């Protein structure tokens, strides 16, 4: 059985805790590997190596750091197929989707290559006679990232590209469900010329996370995962005096107005609802059908579902792969039952879909007439289940979205520019799409939800990422009157 262990100080290090967890191939349901689960002592070793490396790395010139990022970018691009294959084998998503994940992660490295520009400070000349003031941004030291199973390449890159570019050392604690990609990223960083220790990986579960939260050598924590864990990590890490950003779960709505391009909206609902088997934090989970669009829209979505081919993600003809574990598949299937019991109409039942035997498969499900009080609406399902809620008016739809505690993404489908403009200002959600179902910002903006989808005030990557991984310093400096200078400047000074 293959072992997946840590990466500390530039090399693979075996786990010594005696604890491990199985890693599955979700398409076959078979165990493919075993991942070590770090003890506090192993986390301590990773942080110690990172601390030593951080002291040197922060002194490396911006030009040199940028050169390492350019090299890393090239290596990621060259190995994107291989990385996508690793993601598919442990996560289950289809290869094209996994390649898309690598491409979206790579954007963050491209952004971070501009670190000489990104770290420019401000300068005010002559604020008082002979006095200048300027600001600089400096790295924090060792920063840690705790990432979810659903984007094992992209989410670590959301964090580490900027963290490393800004002069920090980064310790990654990836999901124990698909840990292999983290080690390949570490090898590529090393090949790109990053000094040993600047990027480390500790595999693990809660024990490793608790050790990072309590470690005095860790200055900041970035977390992406479910809301209950995000809230707990935010509270505990803040209490331990750390800078923390914790992105949580989601329940994303797609509001469809009666004037929407129906084909565009139905295509978007299918790709954003069932892509990656709904295991995306920006997946559309609720379609809000406004006015008389409901029947037409439900029919158009239902007509498309049989064309979604479900199977192993490694098969290029397949559009939707399995869920990540058997337990998660069973939990998601339970929501189909709960939806029916709460009075929703099961238009398409994913439990009846023809799927390959053995793997953790579930077909796409469509529920109509979902009541906002039912668990199908209130809970984050994180699977291929689309719920249609009908509202009489746009105002009712907006009220529904704004009453939901989750607030990651929202989309509106309409031909009415005025309605779209109204929604973008009035909706209490962090990321808005206008005729775009999954509005993940490009790397030169920042990613983050509101309310229960983000704890902390910094969004991730982009300009807010640079801000999060640096702290500001302001210098006020006075130089003596030049008339007293020992150097003859050869002309009268005016300042
Ligand atoms: P999760 O919360 O179960 O796990 C996330 C990370 O936390 C993993 O590394 C895991 O090992 C660790 N962890 C799990 N339980 C813990 C505990 N009790 N204490 C400390 N650490 C713990 O999430 P997941 O199932 O891996 O990922 C899916 C979730 O992530 C969904 O809720 C999804 O919406 C969310 N997500 C959010 C975003 C976003 O940007 N907001 C992006 C991707 C995923």
């Amino acid at each position: 059985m293959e072992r997946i262990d840590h990466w500390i100080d530039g090399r693979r290090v075996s786990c010594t805790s005696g604890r491990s967890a199985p890693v599955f191939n979700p398409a076959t349901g078979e165990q493919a590997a075993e991942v070590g689960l770090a003890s506090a002592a192993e986390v301590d070793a990773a942080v110690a190596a990172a601390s030593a490396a951080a002291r040197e790395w922060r002194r490396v010139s911006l030009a040199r750091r940028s050169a390492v990022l350019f090299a890393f970018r090239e290596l990621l691009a060259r190995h994107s197929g291989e990385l996508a294959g690793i993601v598919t084998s442990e996560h289950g998503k289809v290869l094209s989707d996994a390649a898309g994940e690598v491409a979206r992660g790579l954007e963050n490295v491209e952004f971070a290559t501009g670190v000489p520009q990104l770290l420019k400070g401000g300068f005010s000349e002559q604020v008082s006679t002979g006095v200048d003031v300027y600001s600089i941004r400096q790295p924090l030291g060792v920063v840690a990232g705790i990432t979810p199973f659903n984007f094992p390449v992209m989410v670590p890159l959301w964090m580490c590209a900027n963290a490393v570019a800004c002069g920090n050392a980064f310790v990654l604690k990836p999901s124990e469900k698909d840990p292999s990609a983290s080690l390949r990223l570490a090898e590529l960083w090393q090949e790109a010329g990053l000094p040993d220790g600047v990027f480390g990986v500790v595999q693990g579960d809660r024990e490793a996370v608790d050790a990072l939260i309590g470690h005095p050598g860790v200055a900041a924590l970035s977390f992406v995962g479910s809301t209950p864990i995000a809230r707990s990590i935010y509270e505990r890490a803040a209490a331990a005096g750390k800078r923390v950003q914790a992105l949580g779960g989601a329940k994303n709505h797609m509001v469809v107005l009666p004037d929407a391009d129906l084909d565009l909206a139905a295509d978007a609902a299918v790709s954003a609802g069932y892509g990656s088997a709904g295991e995306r934090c920006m997946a559309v989970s609720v379609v809000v059908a406004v006015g008389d669009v409901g029947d037409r829209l439900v029919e158009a979505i239902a007509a498309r579902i049989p064309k979604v081919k479900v199977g192993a993600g490694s098969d290029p003809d397949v559009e939707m792969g399995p869920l990540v574990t058997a337990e998660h598949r069973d939990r998601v299937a339970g929501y189909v039952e709960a939806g029916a019991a709460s009075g929703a109409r099961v238009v398409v039942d994913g439990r009846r879909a023809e799927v390959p035997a053995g793997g953790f498969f579930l077909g796409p499900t469509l529920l109509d007439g979902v009541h906002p009080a039912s668990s199908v609406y209130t809970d984050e399902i994180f699977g291929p289940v689309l719920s249609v809620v009908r509202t009489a008016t746009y105002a009712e739809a907006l009220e529904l979205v704004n009453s939901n505690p989750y607030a990651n993404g929202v989309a509106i489908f309409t031909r009415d520019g005025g309605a779209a403009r109204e929604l973008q200002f009035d909706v209490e959600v962090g990321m808005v799409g206008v005729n775009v179902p999954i509005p993940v910002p490009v790397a030169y903006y920042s990613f983050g939800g509101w309310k229960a989808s983000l704890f902390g005030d910094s969004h991730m990557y982009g300009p807010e990422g640079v801000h999060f991984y640096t702290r500001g310093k302001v210098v006020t400096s006075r130089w003596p009157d030049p008339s007293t200078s020992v150097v003859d400047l050869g002309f009268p000074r005016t300042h």
Side-chain angles (χ1 to χ4, degrees):
M1 183 69 58
E2 191 203 337
R3 284 281 310 192
I4 301 160
D5 286 314
H6 316 310
W7 181 274
I8 299 174
D9 213 9
R11 61 189 181 88
R12 287 180 191 248
V13 172
S14 297
C15 180
T16 53
S17 70
R19 294 194 312 123
S20 63
V23 178
F24 292 95
N25 176 347
T28 62
E30 281 161 16
Q31 184 177 345
E34 189 130 291
V35 59
L37 300 174
S39 63
E42 290 167 282
V43 170
D44 192 41
V47 174
S51 295
R55 280 193 286 278
E56 300 302 319
W57 180 239
R58 59 161 295 183
R59 299 188 183 286
V60 169
S61 71
L62 293 175
R64 174 75 199 127
R65 282 190 231 160
S66 181
V68 170
L69 281 147
F70 270 107
F72 185 50
R73 188 251 169 238
E74 290 308 301
L75 286 164
L76 282 175
R78 199 180 316 148
H79 292 278
S80 67
E82 178 201 347
L83 283 163
I86 294 171
V87 171
T88 294
S89 68
E90 292 182 356
H91 174 285
K93 66 176 75 173
V94 298
L95 275 174
S96 56
D97 205 23
E101 150 167 14
V102 177
R104 294 304 312 259
L106 192 141
E107 276 180 22
N108 293 274
V109 182
E110 289 171 345
F111 176 79
T113 58
V115 67
Q117 175 72 16
L118 297 167
L119 284 185
K120 276 159 80 171
F123 193 100
S124 299
E125 177 187 347
Q126 192 79 341
V127 295
S128 180
T129 307
V131 178
D132 306 319
V133 176
Y134 49 96
S135 64
I136 53 181
R137 296 205 70 84
Q138 297 188 301
L140 305 176
V142 178
V143 299
I146 298 154
T147 53
F149 79 83
N150 66 327
F151 286 107
V153 169
M154 184 183 77
V155 172
L157 292 176
W158 280 3
M159 302 171 180
C160 69
N162 281 328
V164 165
C166 291
N168 302 284
F170 184 84
V171 177
L172 172 65
K173 203 303 284 172
S175 168
E176 62 276 42
K177 295 191 181 106
D178 46 12
S180 290
S182 62
L183 296 179
R184 198 64 192 108
L185 288 178
E187 287 169 348
L188 295 178
W189 269 121
Q190 187 174 57
E191 202 178 327
L194 190 71
D196 291 347
V198 179
F199 181 86
V201 179
V202 274
Q203 310 290 354
D205 57 2
R206 182 183 176 139
E207 196 170 322
V209 173
D210 287 350
L212 287 168
I213 291 173
H215 202 296
V218 175
L221 273 172
S222 297
F223 172 87
V224 175
S226 59
T227 287
I229 312 291
R231 181 183 283 116
S232 149
I233 285 180
Y234 178 74
E235 289 172 358
R236 290 188 293 140
K242 299 194 192 317
R243 185 177 288 205
V244 46
Q245 55 179 177
L247 276 59
K251 191 80 183 175
N252 305 309
H253 297 73
M254 172 173 154
V255 177
V256 183
L257 298 191
D259 71 338
D261 177 330
L262 204 70
D263 284 333
L264 183 72
D267 285 344
V270 169
S271 66
Y274 305 127
S276 200
E279 291 173 328
R280 291 178 179 144
C281 61
M282 290 292 273
V284 167
S285 178
V286 183
V287 174
V288 188
V290 179
D292 66 4
V293 79
D295 290 349
R296 286 180 284 138
L297 184 60
V298 168
E299 199 180 307
I301 296 173
R304 284 161 168 76
I305 290 179
K307 295 174 199 146
V308 178
K309 190 172 175 210
V310 181
S314 53
D315 177 344
D317 294 333
V318 161
E319 283 163 283
M320 195 181 103
L323 282 98
V324 70
T325 58
E327 297 74 40
H328 187 51
R329 187 261 323 272
D330 296 345
R331 187 177 158 272
V332 174
Y335 279 106
V336 186
E337 194 61 50
S342 69
R345 183 168 72 92
V346 184
V347 183
V348 179
D349 189 337
R351 298 169 301 178
R352 304 230 170 89
E354 261 187 49
V355 296
F360 309 141
F361 293 99
L362 183 68
T365 291
L366 181 62
L367 302 172
D368 189 15
V370 167
H371 195 281
S374 69
S375 63
V376 201
Y377 180 78
T378 55
D379 296 1
E380 178 182 37
I381 298 175
F382 220 57
V385 177
L386 262 184
S387 298
V388 179
V389 178
R390 297 185 181 223
T391 66
T393 62
Y394 163 80
E396 231 182 274
L398 181 67
E399 170 63 23
L400 180 80
V401 176
N402 283 349
S403 304
N404 197 291
Y406 293 106
N408 220 33
V410 66
I412 183 166
F413 277 72
T414 180
R415 290 186 170 97
D416 183 337
R421 183 171 184 274
E422 185 111 341
L423 179 112
Q424 73 193 8
F425 291 124
D426 292 343
V427 79
E428 292 167 14
V429 171
M431 292 168 282
V432 181
V434 176
N435 296 315
V436 170
I438 302 197
V440 174
V442 288
Y444 33 98
Y445 286 81
S446 298
F447 180 108
W450 288 10
K451 302 197 283 191
S453 295
L454 177 115
F455 300 88
D457 65 345
S458 277
H459 288 200
M460 205 159 275
Y461 70 73
E464 294 199 31
V466 172
H467 194 268
F468 182 78
Y469 290 124
T470 52
R471 50 188 168 176
K473 186 180 274 179
V474 178
V475 180
T476 303
S477 89
R478 183 200 307 276
W479 289 100
D481 181 343
S483 62
T484 66
S485 173
V486 291
V487 181
D488 179 6
L489 297 170
F491 54 86
R493 295 297 302 257
T494 51
H495 296 308

